[in-house]
């Protein structure tokens, strides 16, 4: 069993990894940076190590050499990359192995194969998984892109071969747009990934985005932990997830999960991974990509299976066999995750920078909060704007929607604007509630990107008057989250 672990990450995911690792008896090391010297995640570790002074113009958590050296110098046995940053960097995995440090994730060659989208498409086809028509090699020119687009038919989508998160991606609906979109995609790919290479494939219009969680050990055992519905997204960025998906019946679920397991077996996958699919209106699904890391939305899978995915990662990296067989995985109920980001939804989801002056978290049975902030924490331009993840579990989809809405009403953040009103708007939306929504949902099915509780504007005005007359800090309507108990108390005081 791994005895010590360096978390090469920050924020809520560092806290979440530390929680499981410490429960398993692993000594946890966290990395302190000059940008966040008093960050909450540092308190979750057993030992804090300082990131060395460096002149490199990259984030501390992208500095492979420095992170590996920290592990070696402190005699730390393993590194967990979390998600983002270096979590899908084959060079990082290779550097860890060379230094004798265990990388908690798949081998470098597997990360490389799945990280290169052209290679990933080829592996998917070899394992019998459908892929949209498109490139077999990276595009060499815009003329080649035009020729291939004419062959497979518009609309098409240009994607970065080393891409992810919607970057280096452009939809082309007509031939006249190809020149501009090709230029934008290659430029963005170069800036985001240091690799301008792109490919093209048939664009599946308004699909559902569904992903399958797989787990594989070093002994040839591969299982799936069901699927997640990820179709609520904006510009290819996921905003709210649930498990299971309301779109799948037992037959389609079996086909999709079997395809994910087949792909994992064909590439001799090890560790945790996610196979992502696009599901069209005819019920046909196509391989999109494979993420070779822990997903942001992994808690909804944990909620419906009762399994700890980080624990499975650590066990596999330690050489253990999977502690559960496929037939032993039990799926119970429904779970929803809301990403609570510090963003101004009405201004186009731009980050809302500033100090978190207060935060009140919902509580209750089957409510989980993963957060890396506290009062006094600052939302800066250096890192992502996530405040917390709200994860709720219930027996049915209808019940979990109502329970999540109740939790959102009790979720209160002061000092920055958040996506809480957006999450409410999604959960109140009739199309979302029906389950028949797709990836165009945010752009086409939401009359407003925010939901206001009844009398919310009146309450904000009332509290502002109270603040002025009692010389306290004003509160804005964006900060008001209606909680009946708090409302009664504040009005009584007023």
């Amino acid at each position: 069993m791994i005895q010590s672990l360096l978390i090469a990450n920050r924020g809520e995911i560092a806290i979440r990894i530390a929680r499981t690792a410490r429960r398993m008896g692993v000594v946890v090391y966290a990395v302190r940076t000059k940008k966040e010297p008093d960050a909450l995640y540092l308190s979750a570790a057993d030992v804090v190590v300082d990131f060395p002074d460096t002149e490199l113009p990259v984030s501390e958590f992208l500095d492979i050499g420095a992170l590996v050296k920290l592990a070696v110098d402190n005699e730390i046995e393993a590194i967990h990359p979390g998600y983002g940053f270096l979590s899908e960097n084959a060079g990082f995995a290779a550097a860890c192995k060379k230094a004798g440090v265990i990388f908690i994730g798949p081998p470098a060659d597997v990360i490389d194969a799945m990280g290169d989208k052209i290679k990933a498409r080829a592996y998917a086809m070899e394992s019998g998984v459908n892929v949209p028509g498109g490139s077999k090699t990276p595009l060499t020119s815009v003329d080649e892109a035009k020729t291939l687009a004419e062959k497979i038919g518009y609309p098409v989508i240009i994607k970065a071969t080393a891409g992810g998160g919607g970057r280096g991606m452009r939809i082309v609906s007509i031939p006249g747009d190809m020149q501009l979109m090709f230029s934008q995609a290659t430029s963005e790919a170069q800036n985001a990934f240091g690799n301008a290479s792109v490919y093209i494939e048939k664009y599946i219009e308004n699909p559902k985005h569904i992903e399958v969680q797989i787990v594989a050990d070093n002994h040839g055992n591969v299982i799936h932990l069901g699927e997640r519905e990820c179709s609520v997204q904006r510009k290819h960025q996921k905003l709210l997830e649930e498990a299971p998906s309301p779109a799948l019946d037992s037959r389609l679920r079996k086909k999709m999960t079997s395809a994910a397991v087949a792909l994992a077996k064909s590439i001799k996958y090890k560790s945790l991974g996610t196979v992502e699919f696009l599901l069209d209106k005819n019920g046909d699904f196509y391989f999109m990509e494979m993420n070779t890391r822990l997903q942001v939305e992994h808690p909804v899978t944990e909620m419906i299976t009762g399994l700890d995915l980080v624990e499975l990662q650590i066990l596999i990296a330690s050489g253990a066999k999977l502690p559960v067989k496929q037939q032993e995985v039990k799926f119970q109920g429904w779970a929803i995750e809301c990403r609570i980001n510090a963003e101004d939804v009405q201004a186009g989801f731009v980050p809302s920078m500033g100090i978190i002056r207060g935060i009140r978290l919902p509580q209750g049975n089957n409510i989980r909060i993963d957060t890396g902030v506290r009062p006094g924490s600052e939302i800066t331009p250096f890192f992502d704007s996530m405040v917390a993840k709200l994860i709720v579990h219930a027996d049915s989809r209808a019940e979990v929607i109502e329970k999540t809405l109740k939790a959102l009403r009790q979720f209160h953040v002061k000092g920055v604007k958040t996506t809480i009103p957006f999450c409410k708007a999604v959960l109140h939306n009739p199309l979302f509630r029906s389950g028949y929504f797709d990836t165009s949902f945010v752009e086409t099915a939401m009359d407003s990107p925010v939901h206001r509780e009844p009398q919310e504007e009146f309450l904000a005005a009332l509290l502002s008057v109270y603040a002025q007359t009692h010389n306290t800090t004003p509160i804005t309507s964006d900060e008001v989250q209606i909680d009946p108990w708090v409302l009664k108390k504040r009005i009584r005081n007023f």
Side-chain angles (χ1 to χ4, degrees), residues 76-87:
I76 303 171
E77 193 175 356
I79 289 180
H80 196 306
Y83 57 70
F85 294 121
L86 294 169
S87 60

Side-chain angles (χ1 to χ4, degrees), residues 186-199:
T186 53
S187 177
E188 188 171 87
Q190 178 64 45
N191 292 334
F193 312 111
N195 182 350
S197 178
V198 297
Y199 68 103

Side-chain angles (χ1 to χ4, degrees), residues 16 70 130 136 160 197 264 340 461:
R16 187 266 167 276
L70 278 177
N130 289 336
K136 293 185 178 180
S197 178
I340 311 300

Side-chain angles (χ1 to χ4, degrees), residues 427-448:
L427 295 172
H428 276 288
N429 186 280
L431 185 61
F432 174 82
R433 286 176 171 246
S434 75
Y436 294 108
F437 59 96
D438 56 44
T439 53
S440 70
F441 170 77
V442 172
E443 288 77 17
T444 64
M446 296 186 70
D447 295 331
S448 171

Side-chain angles (χ1 to χ4, degrees), residues 328-346:
E328 295 172 336
V329 178
K330 304 300 180 185
F331 300 99
Q332 296 183 328
W334 217 284
I336 287 177
E337 174 180 292
C338 295
R339 301 191 189 194
I340 311 300
N341 298 327
E343 295 174 354
D344 186 343
V345 176
Q346 292 178 299

Side-chain angles (χ1 to χ4, degrees), residues 1 66 110 229 283 385 408:
M1 174 62 67
V110 173
E229 171 70 65
S385 60
L408 287 168

